[in-house]
Amino acid sequence: MERRYEDALDLAARKLQRAIPLAAREPAIPYGSEGARFTPPPYDGNSWWTAGFWPALMWQMYALRGDNAFLQEARRAQALLGEQLRRFTLLHHDVGFMYLLSDGADFKLTGDETARVDTLHAATLLMGRFNPAGFVRAWNGADQAGVAIIDCMMNIPLLFWATRQTGDPRFARAACIHADTALREFIRPDGSACHIVELDPNTGARVREPGGQGYGPGSSWSRGQAWALYGFTLAAINAGSDAYREAAGRIARYFIQNIRPDGLTDCDFRQPPTPERIDNIAGAVAACGLIELARLTGEDDYAAAACRLLDGLIAHCCDPDPDHPGLLTRCTASYHDDRAGVHTNILYGDYFFVEALCKLKGTDPMLWT
Ligand code: GLY
């Protein structure tokens, strides 16, 4: 691995090790950071969809360094996530993000049986959200029965995992049915993706495409493009599907055309020129997807684009202060929702940045497959 990536990963490891006691003092699993302190989830406490990324960072560090302090901190956070499994009411399709990267990681790296059972529990919840009209329901609430979102391409790896664990093909079948719907309803001919599609919950017919976390209806929220890129790449790996691999290639080419000259990523590829809105999480997620797509297809252009993204992050947006637990600056949760964070550190950005660096280093345990 080249020196600048090695240095960035060393910086991450040093910060995360120092941050463990700080995180343990927080009432909630950390969401982001401001200077030397962690910030809590903006909504729903430890049921917020991001709660698995802190333990996921710990597991990436454990795989890299083998230090038990990371394992213990991951398990401390997982105990809090276990409480949310039992509470149940605030959970939705993002149990994939939450539990595959925490308990699923634990089981993958240590073989822990409690972690395996909690991951299966989460997979069963996700399966319970599958609508036979052809999609996994995203959110809760009486008016949300037909809502699906592109982010779910990153949740369905939990269903593929459950089929591998149990031998029951229903989980993977549901995942493929959802991916087929996403390919048909979300991915536009130019390779861009819409964020939200409302489907008729009885027939699966398309009802409308409301605006989501990007600039507006018909726009191109960059993190949604990144979820689509990495999600279809993972579906191609998990299902061995040429159609998903080709879709991932189309989405990747569109994403690559929209990388800024400085290597950073606008929050929406169709946002107005001002105000400047950058979302470095999108770039970090896309880098992970591009590295895996390069491995899957043997096409070096994807790997080169991943390095452009990582180089932009390292050159312009990596906080070097060892007293600051956060790594990536200028992360934006949502174009129109300032409460969840605008141009600040958000830890799931750090997670994907670290995952990408660990892929280059060769230590990524590939928690999604
Ligand atoms: N819902 C996932 C995200 O904000 O990207």
Side-chain angles (χ1 to χ4, degrees):
M1 177 157 79
E2 291 178 45
R3 188 75 249 165
R4 61 192 182 286
Y5 303 133
E6 198 79 63
D7 289 346
L9 193 52
D10 279 349
L11 175 67
R14 272 184 279 121
K15 279 176 177 254
L16 288 165
Q17 190 138 36
R18 284 177 81 146
I20 289 174
L22 195 64
R25 284 200 297 272
E26 293 290 318
I29 299 171
Y31 169 75
S33 70
E34 280 171 10
R37 63 179 191 90
F38 279 121
T39 53
Y43 308 97
D44 293 345
N46 289 334
S47 273
W48 190 234
W49 73 276
T50 57
F53 289 107
W54 174 252
L57 276 164
M58 296 296 110
W59 288 118
Q60 285 286 355
M61 287 298 120
Y62 181 71
L64 178 72
R65 293 275 162 98
D67 181 340
N68 263 333
F70 293 118
L71 175 149
Q72 281 160 7
E73 175 56 11
R75 293 232 172 112
R76 184 193 68 80
Q78 282 160 216
L80 301 173
L81 278 161
E83 290 170 9
Q84 303 310 309
L85 259 187
R86 284 181 286 285
R87 181 185 191 186
F88 173 75
T89 47
L90 292 175
L91 298 177
H92 50 65
H93 73 149
D94 285 333
V95 290
F97 282 114
M98 292 169 74
Y99 293 94
L100 188 57
L101 296 186
S102 55
D103 288 294
D106 189 342
F107 174 64
K108 186 164 206 166
L109 292 172
T110 73
D112 184 78
E113 182 58 16
T114 305
R116 188 181 87 95
V117 169
D118 278 359
T119 315
L120 276 175
H121 219 128
T124 308
L125 291 184
L126 188 58
M127 190 66 192
R129 304 187 72 85
F130 177 68
N131 184 324
F135 62 95
V136 174
R137 174 185 175 156
W139 298 317
N140 304 333
D143 56 346
Q144 308 276 343
V147 172
I149 70 173
I150 193 64
D151 320 30
C152 193
M153 288 302 300
M154 297 297 290
N155 287 321
I156 61 173
L158 177 60
L159 298 176
F160 288 112
W161 178 89
T163 284
R164 286 194 298 275
Q165 278 301 309
T166 62
D168 184 334
R170 289 174 303 156
F171 298 96
R173 185 78 198 108
C176 288
I177 291 171
H178 178 88
D180 291 345
T181 299
L183 185 47
R184 190 180 65 243
E185 301 291 346
F186 286 74
I187 308 304
R188 305 178 183 126
D190 66 357
S192 71
C194 54
H195 181 199
I196 304 176
V197 175
E198 187 177 338
L199 302 157
D200 183 317
N202 292 303
T203 66
R206 187 188 185 90
V207 176
R208 65 189 185 108
E209 180 195 321
Q213 284 165 248
Y215 180 65
S219 75
S220 176
W221 176 48
S222 60
R223 198 159 70 251
Q225 319 309 300
W227 293 145
L229 195 175
Y230 198 10
F232 274 102
T233 301
L234 292 171
I237 295 168
N238 275 318
S241 154
D242 291 345
Y244 301 155
R245 195 192 63 229
E246 282 159 19
R250 189 150 48 93
I251 299 160
R253 286 189 291 280
Y254 170 81
F255 195 103
I256 292 167
Q257 283 160 17
N258 283 284
I259 300 173
R260 294 161 44 117
D262 58 8
L264 304 184
T265 310
D266 283 326
C267 182
D268 193 309
F269 292 145
R270 295 176 190 162
Q271 70 192 20
T274 55
E276 184 172 68
R277 278 263 160 135
I278 288 169
D279 177 24
N280 283 323
I281 308 165
V285 173
C288 290
L290 287 164
I291 293 169
E292 291 303 333
L293 190 58
R295 287 181 181 157
L296 188 65
T297 61
E299 289 186 36
D300 292 341
D301 288 358
Y302 297 137
C307 289
R308 268 174 63 205
L309 288 165
L310 294 175
D311 290 347
L313 295 173
I314 290 169
H316 306 296
C317 295
C318 214
D319 180 345
D321 190 329
D323 290 330
H324 293 179
L327 203 55
L328 282 191
T329 60
R330 286 202 267 174
C331 301
T332 299
S334 192
Y335 192 92
H336 294 289
D337 177 11
D338 291 2
R339 179 169 163 186
V342 174
H343 286 191
T344 187
N345 172 254
I346 303 179
L347 287 175
Y348 55 98
D350 290 4
Y351 173 76
F352 285 100
F353 184 51
V354 164
E355 184 187 301
L357 294 171
C358 289
K359 287 182 192 303
L360 298 183
K361 175 87 176 163
T363 63
D364 172 34
M366 195 48 167
L367 303 178
W368 308 92
T369 59

